[in-house]
């Protein structure tokens, strides 16, 4: 704005008052017209930036959460702080990219307008200015070359420090029990110091660059007056032309020196682009790998068998009741040590299996492989979905896999469906996971979200962004449990009493306000609501007393859910039909390190003694 009005409003040196008044009116009129234009331009820029950021955030989150990329990044420590890249980097990328584009556009318009003026007054001045700014740009790029790396590191270190503080918040109770404040303080200070040291280096580099930038900016200021003044004294030009040339010179200098003046902002922007580029490459490679799933050495297959096959004699019936088959499965650690060798087994309906063995023998890794979270090894894991949509008692859910197409192929009995997950299988991890939200949301997780009934397009507010209004795929969701169902299931898992303390719709930090045993019972409540065909339980009752453990196992058995549990407790044997005992692999032996046995009182006793 200053740029536009500054040149128009100058005093006429011949004391022509009429001309002065005319210019004053022009000035005020442009001022009145210009203000809304400039304010609305900034508003439009910020709104566009916000919308762009919203779209990019939703796009990146989608890819981050797809194909379990978030899990791979975390478990293999592939890149640092993906959360910071999604929150801060995307925000500054969209904001800065638009601001730079606008600055570039303004500079181009400015350059075109003022080049004519300056070139008309004295062409060599224009050429000197061009040479000066090109030289200045080259020197500032040379002096500031380390700034991109320093900015990159600064982003990382700040994010590491913030993550350290988040971990203290998340693990407040454990830290308080350990009296670990001093250690935490040291660890956090170490992270902060690292950010501080890097920032100090960044400030020194910026200061050095500033010496040059300021010298560059002010050294040349005298040039236009020095060159043009002799022309005025010799009467070749009028007095106002000196002002005009100085002003035009400064404008063109600013336009040509965009890189010099904005170097620090540009280097910070480059660091953001580097971090986002790294993240984007990782997400793309994860997507490509999931497309070529057949390349994975541990092959997971999902098969659907049609109901008609169940009536084709007893053989077909046996086959139809199969839920899970593992063939020749060898599990390795990332460092290629063998955990489990050539495991083959099958789990049929109601054939509840207990997996046991010493700590570190690979039980959880086996469950991870079944869930598709562990890819080190080889072999086949096959899930069967009988498509028995109405075979289970209907508390509230219909769990037959909605993603599969029921296909009966008489030649092969089943067909590979190449999908990553099946709604017929549910996993309860060792550590109960409580989502952020209400008690109702805890219970509905992960099958339903707490959104209201299906939204039609007309329900979506006109100004909302469609990509932020995501709901779960309606067709694939079983019927949502009612409030009565939720209360009933809490009673079933003996958690009814918490309703006197918390409302179903109250929000708390549930992992802090519920005991671990209560959280485990809540996880069973989720399971009962979802009613899968098969559940894999990883020490999911470890925090419970024996009476509650027995009660929960009876509940899921009565609900028709087949379960595979990992556990060490002797009491677990009575709830299972067979046991898989895994022992640590002997590096020098080629023998199998597992044993599969039906459970009877004697074997239960012997195995529990090992
Ligand atoms: N992400 C990983 N990277 C490297 N090694 C791992 C990883 N996860 C597990 N391991 C190793 O694999 C081995 C088996 O781990 P796993 O968690 O399957 O044991 P587990 O039998 O379930 O033990 P526990 O009974 O103590 O829970 C362990 O030695 C463990 O250190």
């Amino acid at each position: 704005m200053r740029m536009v009005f500054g040149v128009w409003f100058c005093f006429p040196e011949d004391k022509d008052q009429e001309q002065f008044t005319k210019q004053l009116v022009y000035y005020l009129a442009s001022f009145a017209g210009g203000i809304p234009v400039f304010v609305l331009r900034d508003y439009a820029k910020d709104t566009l930036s916000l919308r762009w950021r919203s779209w990019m955030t939703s796009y990146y989150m989608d890819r981050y959460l797809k194909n379990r990329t978030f899990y791979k990044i975390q478990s293999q420590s592939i890149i640092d702080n993906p959360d910071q890249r999604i929150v801060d980097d995307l925000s500054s990328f969209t904001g800065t990219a638009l601001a730079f584009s606008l600055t570039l556009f303004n500079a181009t318009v400015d350059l075109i307008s003022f080049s004519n003026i300056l070139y008309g007054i004295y062409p060599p001045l224009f050429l000197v200015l061009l040479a000066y700014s090109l030289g200045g740009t080259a020197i500032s790029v040379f002096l500031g070359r380390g700034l991109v790396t320093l900015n990159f590191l600064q982003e990382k270190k700040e994010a590491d420090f913030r993550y350290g503080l988040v971990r203290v918040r998340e693990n407040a109770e454990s830290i308080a029990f350990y009296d670990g404040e001093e250690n935490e303080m040291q660890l956090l200070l170490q992270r902060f110091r690292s950010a501080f040291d890097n920032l100090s280096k960044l400030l020194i580099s910026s200061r050095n660059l500033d010496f040059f930038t300021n010298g560059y900016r002010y050294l040349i200021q005298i040039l236009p007056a020095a060159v043009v003044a002799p022309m005025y004294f010799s009467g070749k030009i009028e007095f106002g032309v000196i002002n005009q040339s100085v002003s035009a010179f400064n404008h063109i200098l600013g336009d040509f020196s965009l890189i010099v003046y904005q170097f620090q902002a540009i280097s910070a922007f480059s660091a953001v682009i580097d971090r986002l580029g790294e993240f984007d490459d990782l997400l793309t490679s994860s997507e490509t790998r999931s497309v070529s799933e057949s390349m994975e050495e541990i092959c997971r297959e999902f098969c659907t068998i049609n109901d008609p096959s169940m009536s084709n004699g007893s053989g077909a019936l046996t086959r139809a009741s199969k839920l899970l088959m593992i063939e020749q499965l060898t599990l390795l650690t990332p460092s290629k040590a063998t955990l489990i060798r050539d495991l083959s087994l099958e789990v049929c309906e109601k054939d509840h299996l207990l997996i046991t063995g010493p700590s570190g023998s690979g039980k959880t890794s086996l469950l991870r492989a079944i869930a598709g979270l562990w890819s080190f090894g080889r072999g086949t894991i096959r899930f069967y979905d009988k498509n028995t949509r109405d075979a289970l008692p209907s508390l509230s859910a219909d769990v037959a896999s909605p993603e599969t197409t029921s296909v009966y192929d008489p030649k092969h009995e089943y067909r590979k469906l190449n999908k990553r997950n099946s709604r017929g299988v549910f996993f309860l991890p060792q550590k109960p996971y409580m989502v952020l939200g209400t008690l109702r949301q805890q219970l509905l997780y992960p099958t339903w979200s707490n959104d209201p009934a299906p939204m039609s397009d007309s329900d979506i507010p006109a100004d909302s962004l469609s990509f932020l209004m995501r709901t779960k795929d309606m067709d694939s969701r079983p019927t949502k449990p009612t409030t009565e169902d939720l209360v009933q299931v809490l009673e079933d898992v003996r958690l009814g009493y918490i309703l006197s303390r918390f409302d179903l719709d109250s929000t708390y930090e549930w992992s802090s306000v519920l005991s671990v045993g209560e959280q485990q019972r809540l996880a069973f409540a989720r399971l009962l609501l979802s009613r899968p065909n098969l559940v894999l339980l990883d020490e999911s009752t470890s925090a419970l007393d024996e009476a509650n453990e027995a009660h929960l196992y009876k509940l899921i058995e009565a609900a028709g859910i087949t379960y595979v549990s990992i556990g060490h407790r002797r009491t677990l044997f009575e709830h299972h039909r067979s046991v898989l005992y895994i022992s640590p692999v002997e590096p020098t032996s080629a023998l199998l390190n597992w044993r599969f046995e039906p459970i009877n009182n004697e074997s239960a006793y012997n195995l529990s003694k090992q």
Side-chain angles (χ1 to χ4, degrees), residues 297-298 329-342 361-362 365-366 368-369 373-379 585:
E297 288 200 85
I298 296 180
L329 180 70
T330 294
L331 290 187
L332 307 172
T333 63
S335 56
K336 305 285 174 221
T338 306
L339 286 173
I340 297 177
R341 187 175 287 144
D342 282 339
S361 53
S365 306
L366 174 60
R368 286 190 190 127
L373 304 179
W374 192 270
S375 53
F376 309 102
R378 60 185 172 275
V585 166

Side-chain angles (χ1 to χ4, degrees), residues 244-295:
Q244 222 175 12
S245 71
V246 171
S247 172
F249 184 89
N250 276 321
H251 274 278
I252 297 170
L253 179 68
D255 302 333
F256 276 147
S257 310
L258 213 58
I259 293 179
V260 181
Y261 293 164
Q262 304 264 352
F263 197 82
Q264 309 210 18
I266 291 174
S267 58
F269 186 51
S270 309
V272 165
I273 292 177
D274 280 355
R275 288 181 68 76
L276 277 180
E278 201 180 54
F279 189 41
D280 195 77
D281 287 349
L282 178 72
L283 297 179
T284 309
S285 75
S286 172
E287 276 165 4
T288 332
R289 234 177 287 147
S290 83
V291 169
S292 57
E293 247 181 327
S294 52
M295 304 277 288

Side-chain angles (χ1 to χ4, degrees), residues 44-58 94 98 462-468:
K45 183 192 76 182
D46 292 341
T47 310
L48 187 60
S49 156
L50 180 64
R51 286 183 165 239
W52 190 16
R53 180 189 167 192
S54 310
W55 178 81
M56 282 193 89
T57 304
S58 124
T94 50
L98 275 182
D463 59 345
S464 72
L465 304 174
S466 56
F467 44 81
L468 297 182

Side-chain angles (χ1 to χ4, degrees), residues 232-249:
Y232 169 71
F233 293 129
S234 64
K236 285 189 193 154
I237 54 171
E238 292 177 352
F239 181 73
V241 177
I242 300 180
N243 268 346
Q244 222 175 12
S245 71
V246 171
S247 172
F249 184 89

Side-chain angles (χ1 to χ4, degrees), residues 289-403:
R289 234 177 287 147
S290 83
V291 169
S292 57
E293 247 181 327
S294 52
M295 304 277 288
E296 279 181 18
E297 288 200 85
I298 296 180
C299 175
R300 291 171 79 236
E301 297 172 357
F302 300 88
C303 316
T304 298
I305 301 176
N306 247 346
D307 272 347
S309 67
M310 294 178 71
S311 55
N312 286 348
S314 59
L317 186 66
T318 313
R319 284 194 297 273
S321 64
K322 207 187 292 175
L323 292 175
L324 171 72
M325 189 153 91
I326 296 176
E327 285 176 327
Q328 301 284 302
L329 180 70
T330 294
L331 290 187
L332 307 172
T333 63
S335 56
K336 305 285 174 221
T338 306
L339 286 173
I340 297 177
R341 187 175 287 144
D342 282 339
L343 173 66
S344 294
L345 63 85
E346 60 180 51
V347 177
C348 297
E349 216 171 74
K350 304 226 162 107
D351 192 4
H352 312 304
L353 171 70
L354 174 66
I355 303 175
T356 191
S359 170
S361 53
K363 304 180 297 294
T364 301
S365 306
L366 174 60
L367 237 55
R368 286 190 190 127
I370 295 174
L373 304 179
W374 192 270
S375 53
F376 309 102
R378 60 185 172 275
T380 305
I381 298 168
R382 190 171 295 136
F383 297 91
Y384 295 85
D385 186 345
K386 286 195 288 96
N387 201 21
T388 52
R389 281 173 177 266
D390 28 38
L392 297 175
S394 59
L395 171 76
S396 55
D398 170 359
V399 293
S401 171
E403 294 165 23

Side-chain angles (χ1 to χ4, degrees), residues 80-100:
D80 67 273
N81 305 295
D83 33 84
Q84 181 255 9
R85 295 174 202 241
I86 292 175
V87 179
D88 294 338
D89 288 348
L90 280 181
S91 166
S92 73
F93 172 76
T94 50
T96 319
L98 275 182
F100 272 147

Side-chain angles (χ1 to χ4, degrees), residues 525-573:
R526 283 176 186 162
L527 173 62
L528 288 165
L529 288 170
S530 291
R531 299 276 175 125
N533 295 327
L534 177 67
V535 61
L536 293 110
L537 309 162
D538 188 358
E539 302 192 41
S540 310
T541 52
S542 57
L544 291 174
D545 55 282
E546 289 175 8
N548 266 315
E549 178 180 84
H551 173 70
L552 290 179
Y553 270 106
K554 281 194 188 110
L555 270 183
I556 55 172
E557 163 133 52
I561 301 170
T562 305
Y563 46 88
V564 174
S565 327
I566 287 183
H568 299 281
R569 280 198 199 165
R570 205 176 148 184
T571 48
L572 284 173
F573 282 84

